[in-house]
Amino acid sequence: MISAGIVERIAKQERRSTKDVALSIRYYLMDVTYLRTANDYLITDTIPFEAASTVITSARKLLRAVGTTAWNERGDIGGNYAREGDAVLRRARMDHTQEGSFIIPILVPLSHAQETPGEVARTPSLELFQAAPEPFERRVTRTLAQSLMAVKEIIVEPEASPNVGDLHAVVARGVSREFCSALAKILREPSVTEFETIFEWASSVPAPETIPSSVSIGSDASAKIEDAAGKLKRHRIDSTSTFSGNIVELRHVGVDPFGFATISTVRRGRRSEIRVRLPYETYQEAVIWHRARRVVIVDGEVNHGPGKRLIVDNPAGFRPIDEILLPTS
């Protein structure tokens, strides 16, 4: 444990509060999701016990659902939860509640970050960027954040109900029937008028900078979200040609009109690295996205290349996953 005196000296040097510095040290290896339920009249420093029980139970279901869809995207989990996701759930912790509209911190410990690959022999014609893969625990919390944003922007905000194409877009980002049902249950609680999640990323691993730091959804969205859950149960959403992850390598040689981006992802229940062949203009954009730590989503047929390496030669889509766009008709 670090002494209070050391924390005070660090806080003074960095011109931060001692509480802020203490939390930074405590959560160095933990992603933190703050769950906040709001109601101007019924929730201040306390919350009805039944509502608190609903929030905690449903929050567990949300985290369990994204633990599975972070491993293998699917619209209807149907009880087939991923062991890897459940392992993250078992290691998760709940911190003491905080004052202010009943705020619960959920802590997800990260595996020790892998070192960034060392420098490799370079030639004047070779451009190469490398980065460490994203820890799976971070992938789970990131999937929670991007799933909430997908629900808000694709299911809740449009006036029309989501069609099958819209559902494909949210499933590709980690949304499932179970996720929608758990979220709707929180929003249906009579004493909850708004549910907000606030994300603070462990400083031990570079943060996904363009993933939203907070997402809030009003209780009036519960019916739309429940309706989407029903559609996800009735319609089988195929996302086998879609995968997402962080860019761990970018490679371009000389005047080649194509470059390659390697994506760290999960495919068929295994951690995988998939190389994507990109026109040079898109490759240059991928360099910018890589520097901004933007997770990308890829749509394309995965094949075996030289040395049995997984490769997508002609991606139908390659863009940052935070660009939540409605499918075009």
Side-chain angles (χ1 to χ4, degrees), residues 114-118 130-132:
Q114 298 183 34
E115 295 294 328
T116 301
Q130 293 180 305

Side-chain angles (χ1 to χ4, degrees), residues 185-225:
K185 188 168 185 179
I186 294 174
L187 297 173
R188 285 199 310 269
E189 179 59 43
S191 60
V192 174
T193 58
E194 181 185 65
F195 178 61
E196 182 180 24
T197 49
I198 303 165
F199 299 92
E200 291 189 0
W201 309 100
S203 55
S204 58
V205 175
E209 294 185 357
T210 53
I211 294 295
S213 59
S214 66
V215 182
S216 61
I217 298 177
S219 60
D220 56 350
S222 62
K224 272 190 168 183
I225 297 171

Side-chain angles (χ1 to χ4, degrees), residues 77-156:
I77 296 171
N80 296 314
Y81 289 93
R83 291 193 302 271
E84 294 77 8
D86 281 353
V88 173
L89 179 64
R90 286 193 296 271
R91 291 193 297 270
R93 310 286 293 181
M94 173 180 162
D95 208 345
H96 293 288
T97 58
Q98 297 185 2
E99 292 184 2
S101 300
F102 192 68
I103 299 175
I104 305 173
I106 304 299
L107 318 177
V108 175
L110 303 185
S111 305
H112 288 287
Q114 298 183 34
E115 295 294 328
T116 301
E119 292 291 322
V120 299
R122 297 173 185 266
T123 64
S125 62
L126 173 65
E127 179 179 67
L128 181 66
F129 303 89
Q130 293 180 305
E134 177 184 51
F136 180 65
E137 300 89 350
R138 164 62 60 79
R139 184 179 174 92
V140 170
T141 306
R142 171 177 62 76
T143 300
L144 174 61
Q146 70 194 31
S147 294
L148 287 165
M149 182 56 71
V151 167
K152 181 176 181 177
E153 295 195 353
I154 298 180
I155 294 175
V156 174

Side-chain angles (χ1 to χ4, degrees), residues 12 16 33 37 41 44 55 68-69 77 86 97 104 111 132 145 175 185 258 270 276 297 309:
K12 184 176 180 180
R16 299 162 61 194
T33 303
T37 51
Y41 300 102
T44 51
V55 171
T68 289
T69 57
I77 296 171
D86 281 353
T97 58
I104 305 173
S111 305
V175 177
K185 188 168 185 179
F258 292 91
R270 293 183 179 181
V276 184
I297 185 167
R309 184 162 192 168

